[in-house]
Amino acid sequence: MRPLTYSRAADVQDAIALATANPASAFLAGGTTEVDLIRAGISRSEHLVDINELPLRGVEDLPDGGLHIGALARMSDVARTPRVVERYPAISRALLLGASEQLRNMASMGGNLRQRTRCAYLRDGVSPCNKREPGSGCAALDGFNRGHAILGTSEHCIATHPSDVAVALVAFDAVIRTVGPEGERAIPFDDFFLLPGDTPQLEHPIAPGELIVGIDVPGAPIARGSVYLKFRDRQSYEFALVSVAAAIEVDDNVVAGVRIAMGGIGTKPWRARRAETALVGSPPNETSFRHAAAVELAEAVVREHNAFKVELAQRAMVRGLVHSLNGRQS
Amino acid sequence: MPLQINGRQHVVVLEPRVSLLDALREHLDLTGSKKGCDQGTCGSCTVWIDGRRVLACLTLAVAASGHEIVTIEGLADGDQLHPMQRAFIEYDAFQCGYCTSGQIMSAIKVIEEGNAGTDEDIGEFMSGNICRCAAYPNIRAAIRHVRDEAGGRS
Ligand SMILES: Cc1cc2nc3c(=O)[nH]c(=O)nc-3n(C[C@H](O)[C@H](O)[C@H](O)COP(=O)(O)OP(=O)(O)OC[C@H]3O[C@@H](n4cnc5c(N)ncnc54)[C@H](O)[C@@H]3O)c2cc1C
Ligand code: SF4
Ligand code: FES
Ligand code: FES
């Protein structure tokens, strides 16, 4: 067993200093990922910097009508914040459809974005897994890969990013704000999640000791009609097989604006930009929606057990768009 | 480290890796909170920290120091069981009883949070508490009973 030490940070600078002092340190927010992975022997952390006393729990207005969500805001609190529910219903739904209320009370927004994949081969600690042991191979390629990704994969890793709320956030062009030893940064959401390529062990462009302080969600009137739908094996309390965040705006009987992102099918929260491009200017009907979904999924790479996701993802996208068009959440 | 549990201060010496659940069960003789999965999936370790329901298995004891912890042992008022405890008995809301303390700790909060309006809501917001014996219908009945009683009183 690795040694483990613990300290509590008093403020942001203190947190960064404490984390930078020990290269094997990790921040501790809700602990729902970190404690689990330490116990499973997967996390290499030897020092935990508890950041729960930092004043990063608020949700505040941005001048453009958007919202700043503090990194330590809890999933359950953000889901019920009236400004989130009104301006970004898909964010609220995605949060409520994730995990359980106990976990949502613990889990922070910053931690949610850095949660690890639920790939069973990563977590078992023994199977070949390039994320855990770079160069060891990927047991999922020819293993039980029903839950694995079909977009953004490589021959080195096909793990899905499991977050629900990240799917809604990428649809609205959120920006991740960090403070690190080198100062402040603003990282566009899509850039925060790296494709596996031939370095699946690298998941985020974030330096040791760099702290996420919050998430900016730009103002977007279209998001007021957004929906989040999650398709899974059990009714509730289960990760998504496929999920979709969608928002559509129609003007003069053509699609004037559209936002689509998908969960459960990509190695990162998947913004469906091809589908969006295909839709703008088309009539808002199921034929156009189906066409757009087919365009997005055209490059899917399937494995033995996850081929069903290609069709499920297309139906999910169509249903998400129809629901947003009709103003229905579920 | 000091731990504030059920209104009493305890002082324990623990490694940082020890979970709050192990601290309660193995160091403080508070064995009412159960260990089902130890990975956040079953809810049998549900306790309250600063008034919110959370999972003791994914909470480090050291991180809970300085916060107010309530466990199933802290619910009864002397010999008087909490109304939810009484309702679980009255409605036969358990078989083996392994999940029960976690169910009760969640059930009280599900009403307080306002998430017990319909059976569907109860099902959704109790979904983090798994019952292997599938006592769900009776658990829901107990929650409805306490909800309606509480509503009637206030
Ligand atoms: C049983 C179970 C079911 C779940 N189901 C779902 C689900 O359906 N949908 C879903 O979206 N999620 C689900 N989750 C995942 C859960 O949402 C995440 O574990 C949680 O959001 C992580 O947040 P945390 O605050 O607990 O993070 P922690 O465990 O404290 O931290 C996670 C990681 O992020 C780092 N970190 C934390 N905060 C910061 C910060 N501010 N800056 C930089 N790094 C930071 C930590 O160092 C650590 O590496 C589930 C988890 C469990 C255990
Ligand atoms: S899919 Fe990725 S995480 Fe899973 S075994 Fe392969 S390399 Fe590891
Ligand atoms: S023991 Fe904590 S959730 Fe199962
Ligand atoms: S009563 Fe046996 S697990 Fe719930």
Side-chain angles (χ1 to χ4, degrees), chain A residues 27 29-34 99 107-108 111-112 114-115 164 212 230 239, chain B residues 40:
Chain A
F27 295 119
T32 61
T33 286
E34 191 61 30
S108 68
N112 188 295
R114 292 197 68 187
Q115 65 178 291
D164 285 294
I212 302 172
K230 182 168 174 177
F239 289 93

Side-chain angles (χ1 to χ4, degrees), chain B residues 21 34-46 55-58:
Chain B
L21 182 60
K34 301 296 183 215
K35 188 187 279 190
C37 65
D38 220 19
Q39 343 185 312
T41 57
C42 77
S44 65
C45 65
T46 303
L55 301 174
C57 69
L58 293 185

Side-chain angles (χ1 to χ4, degrees), chain B residues 49-122:
Chain B
I49 296 185
D50 296 338
R52 288 154 65 109
R53 50 175 165 142
V54 297
L55 301 174
C57 69
L58 293 185
T59 303
L60 295 180
V62 63
S65 179
H67 297 271
E68 217 173 291
I69 302 156
V70 176
T71 69
I72 187 83
E73 289 90 348
L75 290 188
D77 184 4
D79 289 343
Q80 272 291 87
L81 290 181
H82 186 282
M84 190 64 80
Q85 290 174 309
R86 283 203 303 270
F88 265 61
I89 297 170
E90 189 180 329
Y91 286 86
D92 246 343
F94 50 86
Q95 286 179 36
C96 77
Y98 201 80
C99 70
T100 309
S101 65
Q103 298 282 359
I104 290 175
M105 296 307 282
S106 256
I108 295 170
K109 288 296 165 188
V110 94
I111 296 175
E112 263 181 49
E113 294 156 1
N115 287 328
T118 62
D119 266 20
E120 209 185 345
D121 281 351
I122 296 175

Side-chain angles (χ1 to χ4, degrees), chain A:
Chain A
M1 228 191 272
R2 287 163 199 280
L4 186 70
T5 51
Y6 169 94
S7 53
R8 251 183 222 198
D11 55 40
V12 168
Q13 288 311 324
D14 189 30
I16 295 163
L18 286 166
T20 316
N22 183 340
S25 52
F27 295 119
L28 180 71
T32 61
T33 286
E34 191 61 30
V35 172
D36 189 27
L37 293 180
I38 287 174
R39 189 169 303 143
I42 308 301
S43 165
R44 304 231 152 103
S45 312
E46 292 172 8
H47 181 66
L48 293 178
V49 178
D50 188 334
I51 53 175
N52 286 294
E53 280 172 20
L54 308 190
L56 303 172
R57 290 194 185 220
V59 177
E60 286 141 38
D61 281 319
L62 291 175
D64 72 344
L67 292 174
H68 172 83
I69 302 173
L72 290 171
R74 267 34 192 187
M75 288 170 69
S76 54
D77 294 327
V78 175
R80 294 189 177 81
T81 301
R83 281 174 293 185
V84 174
V85 177
E86 281 156 28
R87 295 180 210 174
Y88 308 96
I91 294 179
S92 171
R93 287 297 293 169
L95 287 165
L96 288 175
L97 290 173
S100 66
E101 189 68 6
Q102 291 99 308
L103 285 160
R104 294 190 292 264
N105 280 339
M106 301 171 76
S108 68
M109 294 295 289
N112 188 295
L113 305 184
R114 292 197 68 187
Q115 65 178 291
R116 307 292 308 277
T117 180
R118 308 302 287 195
C119 174
Y121 301 110
L122 171 103
R123 298 173 68 90
D124 72 12
V126 292
S127 302
C129 169
N130 289 322
K131 259 195 204 296
R132 178 165 33 73
E133 292 292 340
S136 65
C138 169
L141 292 178
D142 299 309
F144 188 65
N145 44 35
R146 175 173 156 81
H148 286 73
I150 55 175
L151 289 171
T153 57
S154 74
E155 67 271 37
H156 303 288
C157 178
I158 57 170
T160 326
H161 194 279
S163 171
D164 285 294
V165 72
V167 174
L169 287 166
V170 76
F172 305 136
D173 296 317
V175 172
I176 294 172
R177 298 214 162 261
T178 70
V179 184
E182 310 288 320
E184 295 182 20
R185 284 209 289 164
I187 308 172
F189 210 80
D190 215 11
D191 298 345
F192 184 75
F193 300 89
L194 303 177
L195 290 173
D198 46 21
T199 51
Q201 71 277 15
L202 303 179
E203 299 182 341
H204 306 287
I206 193 164
E210 189 169 353
L211 179 77
I212 302 172
V213 292
I215 304 161
D216 287 349
V217 197
I222 187 175
R224 288 179 180 262
S226 62
V227 300
Y228 184 79
L229 306 177
K230 182 168 174 177
F231 302 84
R232 48 192 164 177
D233 283 332
R234 275 194 291 169
Q235 256 294 321
S236 71
Y237 195 28
E238 182 79 281
F239 289 93
L241 286 171
V242 169
S243 69
V244 59
I248 191 164
E249 224 167 34
V250 175
D251 192 25
D252 226 0
N253 214 29
V254 295
V255 176
V258 63
R259 304 289 184 92
I260 311 168
M262 309 279 306
I265 59 169
T267 50
K268 60 191 268 181
W270 197 262
R271 179 76 179 266
R273 291 187 197 278
R274 291 161 198 247
E276 291 179 3
T277 308
L279 267 177
V280 173
S282 311
N285 57 36
E286 281 204 41
T287 313
S288 331
F289 298 166
R290 273 189 194 288
H291 170 70
V295 168
E296 190 65 44
L297 272 297
E299 281 174 23
V301 176
V302 302
R303 298 275 159 186
E304 189 180 349
H305 304 288
N306 65 5
F308 73 98
K309 284 189 176 181
V310 177
E311 178 59 26
L312 184 60
Q314 295 183 58
R315 288 193 202 168
M317 194 190 290
V318 171
R319 196 184 300 180
L321 290 164
V322 169
H323 281 208
S324 175
L325 191 63
N326 299 339
R328 287 183 45 194
Q329 189 51 250
S330 54

